[in-house]
Amino acid sequence: MINNDHIDALIAREIAGDISTKEQAELQAWLQEDVANREYYTAMKQTWDLTADAFDDAPEPDLESNWQRFSHQMDAPAPLKVVRSSKQNNWWKLAAAAIIIVAAASLVFTMVNQGSTTVITAEAGKKEVTLPDGSKVFLNRNSQISYKKGFAANHRLVELEGEAFFDVKPDASNPFIVTAGASQTQVLGTSFVIKAYENKTIQLNVVTGKVAFSGKQSTQEALVLTAGHTAILQSNKEPKQIQNSDPNFMAWKENRLVFDNVPLFQTLSTLEEYFDVKFIVTDSSLLNIKYSLTGNDNPSLPRVLEVLSETMHITIKEESKGVYKVSR
């Protein structure tokens, strides 16, 4: 999967006129993958154009002033100090690089573009969104939703990439539909969690109410699920109901972790997802040792690792940023 920083770099190089043939082909392939990608690309270019047009004819561009204007357009948290250059080519390279910096620095931002609104959450952030119909959406990191103009009045269709909790306002005359990857979920009024990250199995957990879950290309009737039930959709297969034994499927939203006599590999997997870290276990015999921890509200990684180490009599050492080694 191509990360956002790499795509931002390609867009910047294209604007600067410094993109190679191979990079151009890679950017075009990414644009063809999803309409959200094309909307993101268009918004980035349009935002840059808004700031660039005003000083195209200036003989000596004021980089710091122009950067201030550009960062304001993108709702960046703070302006960046840019060193002045007398060379026009360097100016364009610096200006294009600014796009990368803005994209990386913004935790969460909203783009309104071509009649649709897209909410994007950066890697470290989460965001609560209230839709025009009053429904609420809680987005996990690396996730986004989009909906077209006229939402609530003419339709209630939302596109999701990543993971989100939906608390849908009832409206029997206007069903609420979420498309996520190859799946489609239709509800009237309920709450549920959908996890649909790229190239991974799509999972739906119904918290309250009832939903109809299906594949976009499905030839079978939708799978009807009620509160407390879970279904998954794998590539090129029909959705199926499964038993969800993971009490932490909403940990990212509720900020609470629970481990009740579960093997260490499951504990570490949950911690990887919750804290966005990685564990390397040197002794495979540790993986099936059971672990319990309840009532851990608003957990911090250092405290969880400290308790885990003491309880399991293991050593957990940070090898590099975000990578931890687990050993006896």
Side-chain angles (χ1 to χ4, degrees), residues 34 36-37 139 142-145 159-163 179-181 196-197:
D34 195 291
N37 294 349
L139 285 167
N142 298 320
S143 304
Q144 71 174 44
I145 59 169
E159 294 183 20
L160 166 69
E161 293 180 26
E163 183 172 18
T179 60
Y197 288 105

Side-chain angles (χ1 to χ4, degrees), residues 126 140 163 193 195 203 205 244-263 266-275 291-297 299:
K126 301 173 187 177
N140 200 355
E163 183 172 18
V193 176
K195 182 187 292 186
Q203 181 167 318
N205 294 85
N244 180 30
S245 58
D246 181 11
N248 295 304
F249 74 92
M250 279 209 307
W252 62 271
K253 176 182 177 293
E254 298 179 335
N255 294 318
R256 186 171 189 270
L257 291 171
V258 176
F259 301 105
D260 185 12
N261 198 35
V262 296
Q266 185 174 328
T267 299
L268 296 180
S269 178
T270 298
L271 295 179
E272 283 185 334
E273 188 167 321
Y274 185 85
F275 291 109
Y291 174 72
S292 295
L293 175 66
T294 58
N296 194 359
D297 295 333

Side-chain angles (χ1 to χ4, degrees), residues 133-264:
D133 69 335
S135 297
K136 293 186 180 298
V137 183
F138 298 83
L139 285 167
N140 200 355
R141 59 176 176 265
N142 298 320
S143 304
Q144 71 174 44
I145 59 169
S146 61
Y147 55 89
K148 300 294 183 183
K149 184 177 181 180
F151 182 90
N154 304 317
H155 64 86
R156 294 201 296 171
L157 176 63
V158 176
E159 294 183 20
L160 166 69
E161 293 180 26
E163 183 172 18
F165 171 84
F166 291 84
D167 188 1
V168 179
K169 185 175 181 179
D171 184 351
S173 64
N174 195 358
F176 191 100
I177 299 174
V178 179
T179 60
S183 73
Q184 177 171 294
T185 303
Q186 180 170 328
V187 302
L188 296 178
T190 184
S191 60
F192 55 96
V193 176
I194 300 180
K195 182 187 292 186
Y197 288 105
E198 187 178 5
N199 299 323
K200 292 187 178 181
T201 297
I202 299 169
Q203 181 167 318
L204 168 72
N205 294 85
V206 183
V207 180
T208 63
K210 181 169 61 175
V211 308
F213 185 60
S214 64
K216 289 181 181 178
Q217 308 300 325
S218 178
T219 58
Q220 299 182 9
E221 291 185 1
L223 191 61
V224 178
L225 302 167
T226 55
H229 291 86
T230 300
I232 60 173
L233 177 63
Q234 296 173 308
S235 179
N236 300 320
K237 294 184 179 179
E238 296 290 337
K240 66 178 181 179
Q241 185 172 331
I242 64 169
Q243 182 177 0
N244 180 30
S245 58
D246 181 11
N248 295 304
F249 74 92
M250 279 209 307
W252 62 271
K253 176 182 177 293
E254 298 179 335
N255 294 318
R256 186 171 189 270
L257 291 171
V258 176
F259 301 105
D260 185 12
N261 198 35
V262 296
L264 182 61

